[in-house]
């Protein structure tokens, strides 16, 4: 290192002594530089050419750089992206030289043997060698411009920006300030910069030939052929491989050609594959090779579909136990599709059950098994369904027979929260206020709206403190679903999430309102806009220590709701659906007598056995009946449910999709899809061999139809 330093020092002193003989004074700057032509400054590599402060004072000294030896890099067998030069180069004989020779104390510039005249000679000023920035930039292939607002000379270079300023001993690269080897100045109206500073900024190697007294700049610049393999898991004969171009040029030249070795769209053979690429720029310069090694795994085998039954022969109405034993080498089965899979069959003969399994790669296989159903009957269809339909799933039966069941008579008690129901107009055609009321204390929101306008709407709840003192309120429980085009499923999901919030307990959020302040609350509702045809549904419990004004509004997704609020009109009811404010929205029903020892039913939300809440629509001042009791929170205490009793749920008004809490456990009704009509029922609970207390929590689900029945049946005796 000491020997190298001494050599550099001697070279620098020779250049300095030679150039100082013809130094000239500075005049005003050239401010009419032309528009920039892109090239490259490489600030990330600048550390390789930086001189020490001592070396900077020695004009012409050669910066020392280190280059890593070429090596091939292999990606991790589990990865498919890496980098490293390859071993084969189609442009191997290409010389990596593009030489510019500056004559000492001369304006002559020899570029690859051709002589050019610089605007000013290489000049020494205050111990620093200076060159004409424009003349050097032209040879490098860069045009310069002038920023009149900052009075800076600017070079745009391959995505980087270099700025020099008159009489300043600093310059910037991409906004980062650097120390120059001397201040820029004007010489005969030509902008002059320190030679070592501009070559360092442009990452140009510089040497001095002591014998010929020449400063030699190597302007050679090659593109990079970098790329990545985006596909992570590559399988022979199966995977279509995706590549991403990451090539670049240090001076922003256009890449016009590429060459590949080992690149395949679909690899045919497993193992390690080396993919190599070269690129050529518009000047005909080829890059070094760039390689990525990928591990191509053997072709993925499809999953194996397989199942067993506990028997090969069954009686009619006998439970069929099926055990899925399908396998996959990566445990990546994403779909199981059954055909003719029944819990029991009720006609004699051969029955073929089929299973198709599909993995995440789209590969699949099928398996089938044929069983025999004899002419002997174990259970009728009705008895079998009562015994073996899983909780949460539905079964079919003669819905007309329900009307023959005796009704369970009960009385109810209403108490607790004020209900604010916003459901009319259910189908919103334009922006506006869909409900507005001021509530004090505990309250419950039930919001259910569909966007049928021609714009994307967001639904908001705005809470306003109408008083001159602070008001605090809390958000206790929230269930939200949507936007979604399926009304009944959206209503079911919002109710399910409300019940889940109840199970977790506690206050979800507390809010303080200053006098006159308005805030957005229940922001899940407005997180995403509802597109035309989509539904939003929410049920939420709140409380406050003073009256709060609540407004439910619909606004175009692009607008500021608070700015729009004063200009929104009050939307009229649709004449079919309900909105209003109702007192006592918690309803408790207690039944002390024994239930389930004989078939019976309990009718809910029918107006007669289970009356509707009556309240007021404070948007128009009219009385409002909560048809269906949507938003009412039912707690049904059954003190004595007989042993071996089936409790199921049967809609009477049409399609229904809801959820219950039975003894604290969530039970969908049904687990998937809908109860489509009165001939379908969903299993809620079965008692065991002893009498039990059963507590059922229920609230009519938005988007579904009422009234509904709870059905109670003694279970049939089990047979062998």
């Amino acid at each position: 290192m000491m020997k190298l330093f001494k050599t550099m020092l001697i070279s620098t002193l020779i250049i300095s002594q030679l150039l100082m003989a013809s130094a000239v004074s500075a005049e005003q700057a050239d401010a009419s530089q032309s528009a920039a032509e892109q090239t490259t400054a490489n600030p990330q590599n600048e550390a390789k050419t930086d001189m020490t402060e001592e070396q900077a004072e020695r004009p012409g000294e050669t910066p020392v750089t280190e280059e890593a030896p070429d090596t091939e890099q292999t990606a991790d067998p589990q990865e498919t992206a890496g980098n490293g030069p390859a071993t084969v180069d189609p442009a191997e004989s290409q010389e990596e030289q593009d030489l510019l020779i500056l004559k000492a104390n001369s304006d002559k510039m020899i570029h690859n043997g051709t002589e050019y005249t610089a605007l000013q000679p290489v000049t020494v000023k205050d111990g620093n060698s200076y060159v004409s920035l424009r003349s050097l930039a032209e040879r490098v292939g860069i045009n310069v411009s002038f920023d009149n607002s900052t009075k800076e000379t600017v070079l745009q270079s391959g995505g980087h920006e270099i700025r020099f300023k008159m009489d300043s001993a600093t310059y910037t690269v991409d906004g980062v300030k650097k120390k120059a080897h001397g201040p820029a100045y004007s010489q005969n109206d030509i902008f002059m910069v320190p030679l070592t500073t501009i070559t360092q900024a442009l990452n140009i190697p510089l040497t001095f030939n002591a014998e010929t007294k020449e400063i030699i700049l190597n302007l050679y610049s090659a593109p990079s052929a970098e790329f990545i393999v985006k596909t992570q898991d590559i399988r022979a004969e199966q995977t279509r491989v995706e590549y991403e171009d990451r090539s670049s040029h240090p001076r922003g030249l256009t890449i016009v050609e590429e060459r590949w070795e080992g690149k395949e769209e679909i690899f045919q053979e497993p193992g390690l594959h080396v993919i190599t690429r070269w690129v050529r720029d518009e000047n005909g310069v080829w890059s070094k090779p760039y390689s990525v090694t990928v591990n191509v795994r053997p072709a993925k085998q499809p999953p194996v579909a397989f199942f067993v039954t506990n028997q090969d022969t069954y009686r009619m109405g006998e439970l069929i136990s099926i055990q899925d034993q399908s396998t996959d080498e990566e445990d990546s089965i994403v779909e199981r599709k059954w055909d003719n899979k029944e819990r029991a069959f009720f006609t004699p003969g051969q029955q073929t059950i089929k299973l198709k399994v599909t993995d995440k790669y789209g590969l699949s296989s099928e398996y089938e098994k044929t069983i025999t159903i004899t002419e002997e009957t174990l259970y009728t269809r009705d008895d079998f369904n009562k015994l073996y339909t899983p909780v949460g799933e539905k079964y079919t039966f003669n819905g007309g027979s329900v009307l023959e069941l005796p009704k369970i008579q009960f009385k109810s008690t209403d108490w607790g929260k004020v209900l604010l129901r916003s459901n009319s107009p259910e189908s919103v055609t334009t922006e506006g206020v869909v409900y507005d009321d001021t509530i004090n204390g505990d309250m419950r929101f039930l919001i259910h709206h569909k966007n049928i306008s021609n714009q994307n709407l967001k639904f908001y709840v705005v809470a306003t403190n109408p008083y001159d003192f602070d008001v605090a309120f809390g958000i206790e429980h929230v269930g939200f679903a949507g936007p979604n085009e399926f009304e009944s499923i959206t209503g079911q999901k919002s109710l399910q999430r409300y019940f889940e919030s109840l199970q977790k307990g506690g206050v979800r959020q507390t809010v303080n309102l200053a006098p006159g302040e308005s805030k957005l609350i229940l922001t899940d509702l407005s997180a995403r806009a509802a597109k035309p045809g989509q539904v939003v549904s929410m049920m939420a419990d709140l409380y406050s220590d003073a009256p709060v004004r609540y407004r439910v509004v619909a606004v175009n997704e692009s607008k500021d709701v608070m700015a729009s609020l004063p200009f929104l009109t009050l939307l009229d009811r649709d004449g079919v659906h309900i909105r209003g404010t109702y007192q006592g929205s918690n309803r408790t029903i207690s039944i002390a007598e024994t239930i389930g020892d004989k078939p019976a039913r309990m009718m809910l939300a029918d107006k007669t056995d289970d009356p509707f809440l009556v309240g007021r629509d404070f948007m128009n001042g009219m009385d409002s009946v909560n048809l269906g009791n949507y938003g009412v929170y039912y707690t049904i205490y059954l003190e004595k449910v007989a042993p071996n009793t089936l409790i199921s749920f049967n809609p009477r008004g049409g399609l229904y999709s809801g959820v219950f809490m039975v003894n604290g456990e969530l039970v969908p009704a049904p687990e998937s899809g809908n109860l489509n009509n009165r001939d379908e029922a969903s299993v809620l609970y079965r008692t065991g061999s002893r009498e039990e207390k059963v507590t059922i929590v229920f609230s009519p689900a938005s988007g579904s139809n009422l009234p509904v029945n709870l059905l109670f049946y003694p279970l049939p005796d089990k047979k062998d």
Side-chain angles (χ1 to χ4, degrees), residues 428-498:
V428 178
T429 60
T430 185
E431 297 178 312
V433 178
V434 290
Y435 199 64
D436 183 354
D437 196 5
T438 299
I439 308 293
N440 184 26
D442 291 349
M443 60 89 64
R444 177 178 299 123
F445 260 114
L446 183 69
I447 300 169
H448 187 79
H449 291 287
K450 182 176 183 179
N451 177 16
I452 63 166
S453 71
N454 59 0
Q455 58 187 313
N456 292 346
L457 294 178
K458 280 191 172 184
F459 291 88
Y460 299 87
V461 178
V462 182
T464 301
N465 178 2
Y467 298 101
D468 58 0
F469 51 83
D470 287 353
V471 174
F473 68 92
I475 300 173
E476 292 182 300
H477 313 109
V478 178
F480 170 73
N484 192 305
E485 61 270 27
F486 302 106
E487 296 184 40
S488 61
I489 300 301
T490 305
Q492 181 193 45
K493 291 299 181 184
S494 66
L495 182 59
Q496 176 180 325
R497 291 164 186 166
Y498 172 79

Side-chain angles (χ1 to χ4, degrees), residues 248-259:
S248 61
H249 196 286
R251 293 182 186 158
L253 298 183
T254 303
I255 293 173
V256 298
E257 186 179 350
E258 65 177 0
R259 296 181 188 176

Side-chain angles (χ1 to χ4, degrees), residues 138-349:
E138 286 177 353
R139 299 274 53 84
V140 175
I142 310 171
N143 287 331
V144 296
S145 63
F146 187 75
D147 187 338
N148 196 53
S149 63
T150 62
K151 308 302 182 186
E152 291 175 314
T153 300
V154 183
L155 291 82
Q156 294 287 345
S157 166
H160 300 286
E161 182 181 79
I162 307 168
R163 288 176 171 258
F164 291 92
K165 196 167 188 177
M166 188 70 67
D167 300 324
S168 174
T170 62
Y171 66 104
T172 62
V173 178
D174 296 333
V176 178
K177 185 176 290 188
K178 307 284 184 179
K179 183 178 180 181
H181 296 149
Y185 73 99
S186 175
Q187 178 170 295
N188 297 327
D189 293 337
I190 301 302
F191 192 69
M192 306 287 286
V193 294
L195 176 60
T196 51
T197 295
I198 187 61
T199 54
Q200 179 176 291
L202 295 175
N203 198 26
I204 298 174
L206 179 152
T207 59
F208 176 68
N209 188 323
E211 183 178 346
T212 62
K213 305 296 190 293
E214 294 173 337
I215 306 167
I216 304 170
L217 283 65
N218 190 352
L219 306 183
Y220 174 82
S221 178
S224 163
E226 185 176 353
F227 66 94
I228 64 170
V229 180
K230 295 181 67 176
T231 309
Q232 293 298 304
D233 186 10
I234 302 176
R235 298 283 185 160
E237 303 180 25
Q238 293 175 336
T239 308
R240 191 171 300 277
V241 181
E242 184 178 356
Y243 301 85
E244 182 177 309
D245 181 14
R246 295 282 183 90
S247 61
S248 61
H249 196 286
R251 293 182 186 158
L253 298 183
T254 303
I255 293 173
V256 298
E257 186 179 350
E258 65 177 0
R259 296 181 188 176
W260 291 88
E261 281 186 6
K263 180 185 179 185
E264 300 288 345
E265 186 176 11
I266 297 177
F267 288 91
Q268 298 302 310
E269 298 294 333
L272 295 178
H273 292 255
V274 178
I275 308 164
T276 304
R277 185 193 192 205
W278 298 259
V279 295
R280 183 175 67 86
D281 67 23
E282 59 187 273
N283 286 343
V285 178
W286 282 95
S287 69
K288 290 183 178 181
Y290 186 92
S291 292
V292 171
T293 301
V294 296
N295 181 24
V296 178
R297 301 169 68 185
K300 172 73 171 65
Q301 298 303 309
V304 178
F306 186 69
F307 64 88
V308 295
T309 58
N310 59 327
Q311 300 171 191
D312 295 327
T313 302
Y314 295 87
R315 292 166 287 181
M316 289 185 287
E318 184 174 2
L319 179 66
I320 301 170
S321 176
I322 299 177
Q323 184 179 3
D324 183 356
Q325 296 183 354
S326 301
T327 58
D328 180 71
E329 63 182 88
E330 293 184 0
D331 195 24
S332 62
I333 296 175
V334 295
E335 182 182 49
R336 288 172 164 83
K337 185 176 181 181
W338 292 91
D339 182 36
N340 203 35
K341 181 188 180 185
E342 300 290 342
R343 286 185 285 270
F345 291 95
F346 298 93
T347 55

Side-chain angles (χ1 to χ4, degrees), residues 279 361 404 454 523 551 606 642 654 720:
V279 295
Y361 303 99
E404 301 173 1
N454 59 0
T523 52
R551 280 171 285 184
D606 70 331
D720 294 328

Side-chain angles (χ1 to χ4, degrees), residues 7 34 132 149 178 232 317 349 367 395 427 478 509 521 540 664:
T7 302
S34 59
S132 163
S149 63
K178 307 284 184 179
Q232 293 298 304
Y367 178 77
Y395 62 91
S427 297
V478 178
Q509 179 185 0
I521 62 170

